[in-house]
Amino acid sequence: MSRKKIKSALISVYYKDNLEKTVKMLRKQGVTIYSTGGTFDFIKNIAEVHSVESLTGYPSILGGRVKTLHPKVFGGILSRRDNSSDKEDLAKYEIPEIDLVIVDLYPFSETLASDASHEEIIEKIDIGGISLIRAAAKNYRDTLVVSSRSQYAALLELLETKNGFTDLEDRIRYASDAFETTAGYDRDISDYFASLLNREKFTLNISPANRLRYGENPHQKGIFYGKLDEIFTQLNGKEISYNNLLDIDAAFALMGDFTETAYAIIKHNNACGCAADASPLEAWKKALAGDPISAFGGIIITNSPVDINVAVEINKLFFEIILAPGYSNEALNLLKSKKNRIILDVKPSGRQQKQFRSILNGVLVQDTDSISEDIPYLKQVTKKTPSDREINDLLFANKLVKHSKSNTIVLVKDKQLLASGVGQTSRVDALKQAVEKAKNFGFSLSGAVMASDAFFPFPDCVEIASKEGITSVIHPGGSVRDQESVDFCDRAGMSMVITGYRHFKH
């Protein structure tokens, strides 16, 4: 039979929060409850419960390491209700059928993330709980398994809606979640033991799966694995696409390096406009002025709450997405005037420490580029010292160049992106592209600064920059011919600083 009545349940959980309503509902529906340890002590104060020890005839031993590992427990979970031989075994050994298993595992990952000792971490490796989950999930045709406290509310709703019955589809869904839970749990343990040996390994278990309309192109299937609601809340607009997510990720990475009020406009993972200013309105206007053509259909991000004054100006532009840490009611109502416009309220969150991508027949993994240079990183290599304004612009430009596709050159003045050349096979071409773009939008490069994501192998870039009126340069350094660029800057009266950190982005 597809539909099954829950007549008995085994409950063994670490966290008891929000469990009381479920226990009471089970007893109301006449379910016999078995439990052990701290869970038994919790339940006995609110409902009738039988100890696992009374079922097995054995006490909890080895300091609690062995409680439920017994044939009378696992026989009841794994028995096939339509199998005559299984029924005979249950009758012979007086084993009750168990229709529901609720387990919340020892918090291994949480313990690992704390300052716990190795011994404390080891003791948080769940043995009985993980075995109960696997057994119940394997016998999904007859047994429902709840493998996480995050499912308590859904279980309660299921019990209420179906009056204590479950369907095969319910049990398959919960079994799938259970094996996902055990896979992730075992992965974390495996990673920990690998770290004890300084052994590199790559495993990944991210959920849930969010099916997208399509991938990078309409003929490609696209799925995002992860919990976007931990990063932002969508307040308006259509479904977020694969390409939207790539731009959102690029926007988050860039804005994460700014502490002062800033606005940026992202197009194809690169900033086409960016500016910082004490006034959010001025920051927006300057960011848009950097490239009002590319801004069309772009993604806007700011680290400042959006008020009505800024919203009025932003609303004049067609854009797909805006990300901000809050909106005034007036601003939000105005921005919502376009029903498809995606409005995201950004939550405080950290960046992932690792990046990975699939290539060939494997996966590339690297540390996230978390270096964001400040004044102590700068080493002056020219006779001329950059002014305070130039230093501020150099640091601003270096943030932008870090988050632009290589090869890239960025031109900045007064904390405003004037232009950039991105994704070029030649650094000279990147500079020429940036210069031409700046001129097309009416910017004077006199007094501007230049940033490069990598060193200059020849002095050609600083020669071009000098002719255009650029007065200061920042780059990583590291070329065997660095001195040629330094010597030219000295002759031209330019200043140059190096950081020692390259920022390739491919």
Side-chain angles (χ1 to χ4, degrees):
M1 293 176 58
S2 172
R3 174 158 280 213
K4 300 281 185 178
K5 179 74 170 74
I6 297 175
K7 294 175 285 188
S8 61
L10 173 63
I11 306 176
S12 178
V13 300
Y14 187 85
Y15 292 108
K16 284 78 175 173
D17 311 50
N18 304 316
L19 183 63
E20 183 175 343
K21 290 183 179 179
T22 299
V23 169
K24 289 182 176 180
M25 177 58 67
L26 288 170
R27 285 300 302 133
K28 181 180 178 182
Q29 293 175 344
V31 176
T32 301
I33 300 176
Y34 298 94
S35 189
T36 187
T39 310
F40 174 83
D41 293 335
F42 172 80
I43 295 176
K44 73 179 182 181
N45 293 318
I46 56 177
E48 182 182 354
V49 59
H50 303 274
S51 69
V52 167
E53 291 83 354
S54 68
L55 173 64
T56 64
Y58 280 86
S60 170
I61 62 174
L62 305 182
R65 280 189 164 198
V66 180
K67 294 190 286 283
T68 57
L69 296 168
H70 193 280
K72 281 203 169 184
V73 174
F74 282 85
I77 295 171
L78 285 164
S79 66
R80 292 158 291 189
R81 310 303 194 256
D82 58 355
N83 186 293
S84 58
S85 177
D86 285 4
K87 288 183 177 180
E88 291 174 5
D89 284 341
L90 294 189
K92 180 178 180 179
Y93 297 107
E94 299 180 332
I95 300 174
E97 293 175 346
I98 296 176
D99 308 306
L100 169 65
V101 172
I102 303 176
V103 172
D104 182 56
L105 298 171
Y106 288 170
F108 177 83
S109 297
E110 293 90 333
T111 305
L112 185 61
S114 69
D115 293 327
S117 67
H118 173 71
E119 288 72 22
E120 290 171 318
I121 292 170
I122 295 301
E123 288 307 310
K124 286 299 185 288
I125 297 177
D126 205 312
I127 303 300
I130 206 90
S131 301
L132 291 170
I133 290 174
R134 290 179 63 85
K138 177 178 180 177
N139 200 33
Y140 68 89
R141 292 187 182 278
D142 298 299
T143 308
L144 179 71
V145 57
V146 174
S147 55
S148 169
R149 55 179 166 156
S150 65
Q151 296 175 315
Y152 293 171
L155 172 63
L156 181 60
E157 182 180 353
L158 178 66
L159 293 171
E160 291 175 334
T161 303
K162 297 187 177 180
N163 195 30
F165 285 83
T166 65
D167 294 314
L168 182 60
E169 182 181 349
D170 301 322
R171 298 191 295 276
I172 291 175
R173 183 174 69 255
Y174 276 82
S176 174
D177 291 341
F179 283 120
E180 189 172 295
T181 296
T182 60
Y185 197 79
D186 286 340
R187 179 209 64 209
D188 291 341
I189 296 170
S190 173
D191 287 350
Y192 174 66
F193 275 87
S195 72
L196 298 179
L197 300 171
N198 294 316
R199 191 175 70 194
E200 297 290 343
K201 62 191 293 286
F202 179 79
T203 56
L204 195 62
N205 181 35
I206 300 177
S207 61
N210 303 275
R211 189 175 297 278
L212 306 173
R213 294 194 304 260
Y214 50 80
E216 198 162 6
N217 298 292
H219 62 277
Q220 294 171 275
K221 179 181 175 181
I223 299 175
F224 173 78
Y225 294 92
K227 299 177 181 178
L228 290 174
D229 57 0
E230 293 180 353
I231 308 297
F232 52 70
T233 300
Q234 183 167 350
L235 305 177
N236 189 71
K238 60 185 179 181
E239 179 185 341
I240 297 173
S241 72
Y242 182 100
N243 290 327
N244 289 157
L245 287 171
L246 290 177
D247 280 334
I248 289 170
D249 183 65
F252 263 100
L254 172 61
M255 197 54 61
D257 278 344
F258 285 95
T259 54
E260 56 191 329
T261 299
Y263 268 84
I265 306 167
I266 306 297
K267 199 72 174 287
H268 296 295
N269 309 159
N270 294 297
C272 62
C274 186
D277 196 286
S279 162
L281 180 59
E282 287 305 308
W284 162 249
K285 288 181 177 180
K286 288 160 67 173
L288 178 61
D291 187 347
I293 294 177
S294 296
F296 184 86
I299 287 181
I300 300 168
I301 186 168
T302 180
N303 55 7
S304 173
V306 178
D307 61 24
I308 186 60
N309 295 323
V310 180
V312 167
E313 294 301 316
I314 290 175
N315 198 52
K316 296 176 182 178
L317 175 72
F318 169 74
F319 61 93
E320 285 208 40
I321 302 174
I322 181 168
L323 303 98
Y327 305 82
S328 71
N329 290 333
E330 289 179 302
L332 185 58
N333 289 334
L334 176 61
L335 294 173
K336 280 184 173 180
S337 61
K338 305 292 184 182
K339 68 176 184 178
N340 287 331
R341 179 183 286 162
I342 298 171
I343 303 174
L344 304 178
D345 189 359
V346 175
K347 301 177 182 179
S349 60
R351 293 285 295 172
Q352 293 196 56
Q353 299 303 305
K354 297 287 185 181
Q355 293 176 317
F356 48 88
R357 65 171 71 177
S358 59
I359 68 160
L360 302 174
N361 61 345
V363 177
L364 274 177
V365 181
Q366 68 171 353
D367 296 334
T368 298
D369 185 358
S370 59
I371 297 293
S372 184
E373 293 88 343
D374 207 340
I375 291 176
Y377 287 85
L378 306 184
K379 178 183 178 182
Q380 180 182 329
V381 291
T382 51
K383 295 175 182 177
K384 185 176 181 180
T385 301
S387 66
D388 290 344
R389 179 191 67 80
E390 287 173 328
I391 288 175
N392 287 333
D393 283 347
L394 290 169
L395 293 172
F396 183 93
N398 203 56
K399 288 180 172 63
L400 284 164
V401 88
K402 169 187 170 183
H403 296 285
S404 301
K405 297 290 185 180
S406 301
N407 288 312
T408 182
I409 293 288
V410 167
L411 306 179
V412 164
K413 186 177 181 180
D414 297 325
K415 296 184 181 179
Q416 178 187 21
L417 172 61
L418 303 184
S420 60
V422 299
Q424 300 301 303
T425 54
S426 160
R427 198 159 300 282
V428 172
D429 286 345
L431 175 55
K432 289 180 178 178
Q433 182 189 63
V435 169
E436 180 181 0
K437 190 173 183 180
K439 290 180 176 179
N440 287 342
F441 290 112
F443 289 112
S444 167
L445 295 177
S446 178
V449 306
M450 174 175 73
S452 174
D453 60 333
F455 62 64
F456 299 108
F458 305 102
D460 43 11
C461 282
V462 291
E463 291 170 1
I464 295 171
S466 176
K467 292 177 182 177
E468 299 297 337
I470 293 167
T471 56
S472 193
V473 180
I474 185 170
H475 71 113
S479 169
V480 294
R481 304 178 71 167
D482 272 351
Q483 193 59 42
E484 293 180 23
S485 294
V486 173
D487 291 342
F488 178 86
C489 287
D490 283 338
R491 292 194 298 272
M494 300 169 66
S495 60
M496 175 184 284
V497 296
I498 61 174
T499 65
Y501 289 92
R502 188 182 72 186
H503 291 298
F504 272 166
K505 185 181 180 187
H506 297 105

